[in-house]
């Protein structure tokens, strides 16, 4: 599976009107900075003033850069997904994968976070998720259950970890 094009409008923070800026957040100099408050920074996420680009049930790769960091956790949410908490933010590029359950906008929650983000990029994953770093994923396999799984729900080999929701094995011949 591949990824679609970048869906975020003004992910470089060049157009403030593409973002809803909560109390304590400010956009200037190509970044969004949180200095106080417990509110969020939200991507308006509309194409040409139309409906949101977020589709329920899809997986999105979210790339963001922590430009400056003082303290606190940064929480990220898209499409009503289980929010991701970056509990030890470090300056530099970060990448996460979240699966949506509705069409809610991309949001960064300040809370106790004090710092700046920049270069926000979001790509929709096309097709089945396959393996994604740090997430449970759908692995499509044709044929009988491999003997190395032997009824287990987790298999680790070198740097690859496969984790399944259950030890039941389904053979799916549909593409």
């Amino acid at each position: 599976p591949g990824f679609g094009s970048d869906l975020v409008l003004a992910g470089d923070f060049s157009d403030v009107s593409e973002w809803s800026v909560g109390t304590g957040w400010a956009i200037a100099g190509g970044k969004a900075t949180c200095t106080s408050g417990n509110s969020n920074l939200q991507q308006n996420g509309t194409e040409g003033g139309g409906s949101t680009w977020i589709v329920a049930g899809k997986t999105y790769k979210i790339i963001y850069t922590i430009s400056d960091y003082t303290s606190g956790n940064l929480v990220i949410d898209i499409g009503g997904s289980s929010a991701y908490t970056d509990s030890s933010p470090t300056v530099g590029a970060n990448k996460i994968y979240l699966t949506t359950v509705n069409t809610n906008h991309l949001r960064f929650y300040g809370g106790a976070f004090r710092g700046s983000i920049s270069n926000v990029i979001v790509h929709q994953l096309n097709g089945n998720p396959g393996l994604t770093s740090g997430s449970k994923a759908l692995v499509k396999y044709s044929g009988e259950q491999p003997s190395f799984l032997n009824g287990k729900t987790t298999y680790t080999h070198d740097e690859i970890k496969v984790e399944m929701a259950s030890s039941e094995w389904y053979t799916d011949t549909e593409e």
Side-chain angles (χ1 to χ4, degrees), residues 19-36:
W19 294 88
S20 294
V21 182
T23 303
W25 284 93
I27 295 177
K31 59 187 175 181
T33 303
C34 185
T35 57
S36 67

PDB file of all heavy atoms in Angstrom, residues 19-36:
ATOM      1  N   TRP A  19      -5.954  27.292  10.348  1.00  0.00           N
ATOM      2  CA  TRP A  19      -5.848  26.712  11.687  1.00  0.00           C
ATOM      3  C   TRP A  19      -6.768  27.442  12.654  1.00  0.00           C
ATOM      4  O   TRP A  19      -6.910  28.664  12.586  1.00  0.00           O
ATOM      5  CB  TRP A  19      -4.402  26.812  12.198  1.00  0.00           C
ATOM      6  CG  TRP A  19      -3.447  25.981  11.401  1.00  0.00           C
ATOM      7  CD1 TRP A  19      -2.776  26.372  10.268  1.00  0.00           C
ATOM      8  CD2 TRP A  19      -3.076  24.633  11.644  1.00  0.00           C
ATOM      9  NE1 TRP A  19      -2.010  25.340   9.810  1.00  0.00           N
ATOM     10  CE2 TRP A  19      -2.170  24.251  10.628  1.00  0.00           C
ATOM     11  CE3 TRP A  19      -3.410  23.705  12.631  1.00  0.00           C
ATOM     12  CZ2 TRP A  19      -1.610  22.986  10.571  1.00  0.00           C
ATOM     13  CZ3 TRP A  19      -2.840  22.445  12.569  1.00  0.00           C
ATOM     14  CH2 TRP A  19      -1.959  22.094  11.552  1.00  0.00           C
ATOM     15  N   SER A  20      -7.388  26.699  13.573  1.00  0.00           N
ATOM     16  CA  SER A  20      -8.124  27.291  14.695  1.00  0.00           C
ATOM     17  C   SER A  20      -7.173  27.271  15.880  1.00  0.00           C
ATOM     18  O   SER A  20      -6.702  26.207  16.286  1.00  0.00           O
ATOM     19  CB  SER A  20      -9.374  26.470  15.022  1.00  0.00           C
ATOM     20  OG  SER A  20     -10.278  26.533  13.952  1.00  0.00           O
ATOM     21  N   VAL A  21      -6.881  28.451  16.387  1.00  0.00           N
ATOM     22  CA  VAL A  21      -5.855  28.604  17.414  1.00  0.00           C
ATOM     23  C   VAL A  21      -6.513  28.839  18.768  1.00  0.00           C
ATOM     24  O   VAL A  21      -7.164  29.861  18.986  1.00  0.00           O
ATOM     25  CB  VAL A  21      -4.922  29.787  17.052  1.00  0.00           C
ATOM     26  CG1 VAL A  21      -3.813  29.934  18.073  1.00  0.00           C
ATOM     27  CG2 VAL A  21      -4.350  29.610  15.655  1.00  0.00           C
ATOM     28  N   GLY A  22      -6.368  27.864  19.681  1.00  0.00           N
ATOM     29  CA  GLY A  22      -6.945  27.969  21.012  1.00  0.00           C
ATOM     30  C   GLY A  22      -6.117  28.870  21.920  1.00  0.00           C
ATOM     31  O   GLY A  22      -4.989  29.261  21.590  1.00  0.00           O
ATOM     32  N   THR A  23      -6.671  29.195  23.074  1.00  0.00           N
ATOM     33  CA  THR A  23      -6.001  30.029  24.072  1.00  0.00           C
ATOM     34  C   THR A  23      -4.653  29.423  24.453  1.00  0.00           C
ATOM     35  O   THR A  23      -4.556  28.228  24.734  1.00  0.00           O
ATOM     36  CB  THR A  23      -6.874  30.143  25.337  1.00  0.00           C
ATOM     37  OG1 THR A  23      -8.138  30.669  24.957  1.00  0.00           O
ATOM     38  CG2 THR A  23      -6.229  31.043  26.380  1.00  0.00           C
ATOM     39  N   GLY A  24      -3.620  30.240  24.416  1.00  0.00           N
ATOM     40  CA  GLY A  24      -2.283  29.783  24.775  1.00  0.00           C
ATOM     41  C   GLY A  24      -1.440  29.397  23.569  1.00  0.00           C
ATOM     42  O   GLY A  24      -0.235  29.231  23.688  1.00  0.00           O
ATOM     43  N   TRP A  25      -2.076  29.224  22.390  1.00  0.00           N
ATOM     44  CA  TRP A  25      -1.359  28.916  21.156  1.00  0.00           C
ATOM     45  C   TRP A  25      -1.202  30.190  20.329  1.00  0.00           C
ATOM     46  O   TRP A  25      -2.067  31.061  20.342  1.00  0.00           O
ATOM     47  CB  TRP A  25      -2.127  27.908  20.309  1.00  0.00           C
ATOM     48  CG  TRP A  25      -2.076  26.494  20.785  1.00  0.00           C
ATOM     49  CD1 TRP A  25      -2.972  25.877  21.601  1.00  0.00           C
ATOM     50  CD2 TRP A  25      -1.089  25.519  20.454  1.00  0.00           C
ATOM     51  NE1 TRP A  25      -2.605  24.568  21.807  1.00  0.00           N
ATOM     52  CE2 TRP A  25      -1.451  24.319  21.107  1.00  0.00           C
ATOM     53  CE3 TRP A  25       0.064  25.526  19.674  1.00  0.00           C
ATOM     54  CZ2 TRP A  25      -0.704  23.154  21.012  1.00  0.00           C
ATOM     55  CZ3 TRP A  25       0.806  24.368  19.565  1.00  0.00           C
ATOM     56  CH2 TRP A  25       0.429  23.203  20.232  1.00  0.00           C
ATOM     57  N   ALA A  26      -0.115  30.285  19.575  1.00  0.00           N
ATOM     58  CA  ALA A  26       0.105  31.394  18.650  1.00  0.00           C
ATOM     59  C   ALA A  26       0.851  30.860  17.430  1.00  0.00           C
ATOM     60  O   ALA A  26       1.663  29.938  17.548  1.00  0.00           O
ATOM     61  CB  ALA A  26       0.926  32.496  19.322  1.00  0.00           C
ATOM     62  N   ILE A  27       0.548  31.416  16.268  1.00  0.00           N
ATOM     63  CA  ILE A  27       1.235  31.033  15.033  1.00  0.00           C
ATOM     64  C   ILE A  27       2.034  32.223  14.545  1.00  0.00           C
ATOM     65  O   ILE A  27       1.487  33.315  14.350  1.00  0.00           O
ATOM     66  CB  ILE A  27       0.244  30.574  13.955  1.00  0.00           C
ATOM     67  CG1 ILE A  27      -0.469  29.290  14.401  1.00  0.00           C
ATOM     68  CG2 ILE A  27       0.950  30.369  12.623  1.00  0.00           C
ATOM     69  CD1 ILE A  27      -1.529  28.783  13.442  1.00  0.00           C
ATOM     70  N   ALA A  28       3.330  32.012  14.341  1.00  0.00           N
ATOM     71  CA  ALA A  28       4.219  33.055  13.824  1.00  0.00           C
ATOM     72  C   ALA A  28       5.513  32.401  13.372  1.00  0.00           C
ATOM     73  O   ALA A  28       5.942  31.390  13.942  1.00  0.00           O
ATOM     74  CB  ALA A  28       4.498  34.107  14.894  1.00  0.00           C
ATOM     75  N   GLY A  29       6.122  32.961  12.356  1.00  0.00           N
ATOM     76  CA  GLY A  29       7.441  32.504  11.922  1.00  0.00           C
ATOM     77  C   GLY A  29       7.476  31.053  11.461  1.00  0.00           C
ATOM     78  O   GLY A  29       8.480  30.374  11.650  1.00  0.00           O
ATOM     79  N   GLY A  30       6.388  30.541  10.892  1.00  0.00           N
ATOM     80  CA  GLY A  30       6.376  29.188  10.367  1.00  0.00           C
ATOM     81  C   GLY A  30       6.216  28.090  11.404  1.00  0.00           C
ATOM     82  O   GLY A  30       6.513  26.919  11.146  1.00  0.00           O
ATOM     83  N   LYS A  31       5.738  28.455  12.596  1.00  0.00           N
ATOM     84  CA  LYS A  31       5.502  27.436  13.626  1.00  0.00           C
ATOM     85  C   LYS A  31       4.359  27.856  14.533  1.00  0.00           C
ATOM     86  O   LYS A  31       3.976  29.023  14.585  1.00  0.00           O
ATOM     87  CB  LYS A  31       6.775  27.165  14.431  1.00  0.00           C
ATOM     88  CG  LYS A  31       7.354  28.361  15.143  1.00  0.00           C
ATOM     89  CD  LYS A  31       8.700  28.016  15.777  1.00  0.00           C
ATOM     90  CE  LYS A  31       9.351  29.239  16.384  1.00  0.00           C
ATOM     91  NZ  LYS A  31      10.657  28.914  16.973  1.00  0.00           N
ATOM     92  N   ALA A  32       3.799  26.857  15.229  1.00  0.00           N
ATOM     93  CA  ALA A  32       2.748  27.097  16.215  1.00  0.00           C
ATOM     94  C   ALA A  32       3.358  26.845  17.583  1.00  0.00           C
ATOM     95  O   ALA A  32       3.954  25.800  17.821  1.00  0.00           O
ATOM     96  CB  ALA A  32       1.567  26.165  15.977  1.00  0.00           C
ATOM     97  N   THR A  33       3.185  27.811  18.480  1.00  0.00           N
ATOM     98  CA  THR A  33       3.805  27.740  19.795  1.00  0.00           C
ATOM     99  C   THR A  33       2.734  27.753  20.879  1.00  0.00           C
ATOM    100  O   THR A  33       1.814  28.557  20.841  1.00  0.00           O
ATOM    101  CB  THR A  33       4.765  28.933  20.003  1.00  0.00           C
ATOM    102  OG1 THR A  33       5.733  28.919  18.958  1.00  0.00           O
ATOM    103  CG2 THR A  33       5.460  28.868  21.346  1.00  0.00           C
ATOM    104  N   CYS A  34       2.886  26.842  21.845  1.00  0.00           N
ATOM    105  CA  CYS A  34       1.987  26.792  23.003  1.00  0.00           C
ATOM    106  C   CYS A  34       2.767  27.263  24.219  1.00  0.00           C
ATOM    107  O   CYS A  34       3.802  26.689  24.566  1.00  0.00           O
ATOM    108  CB  CYS A  34       1.470  25.380  23.232  1.00  0.00           C
ATOM    109  SG  CYS A  34       0.247  25.283  24.567  1.00  0.00           S
ATOM    110  N   THR A  35       2.268  28.339  24.841  1.00  0.00           N
ATOM    111  CA  THR A  35       2.951  28.897  26.016  1.00  0.00           C
ATOM    112  C   THR A  35       2.114  28.806  27.287  1.00  0.00           C
ATOM    113  O   THR A  35       2.632  29.007  28.368  1.00  0.00           O
ATOM    114  CB  THR A  35       3.312  30.378  25.778  1.00  0.00           C
ATOM    115  OG1 THR A  35       2.116  31.093  25.464  1.00  0.00           O
ATOM    116  CG2 THR A  35       4.342  30.517  24.659  1.00  0.00           C
ATOM    117  N   SER A  36       0.816  28.520  27.141  1.00  0.00           N
ATOM    118  CA  SER A  36      -0.052  28.403  28.317  1.00  0.00           C
ATOM    119  C   SER A  36      -1.387  27.802  27.903  1.00  0.00           C
ATOM    120  O   SER A  36      -1.649  27.600  26.726  1.00  0.00           O
ATOM    121  CB  SER A  36      -0.294  29.777  28.950  1.00  0.00           C
ATOM    122  OG  SER A  36      -1.051  30.583  28.070  1.00  0.00           O
TER     123      SER A  36
END
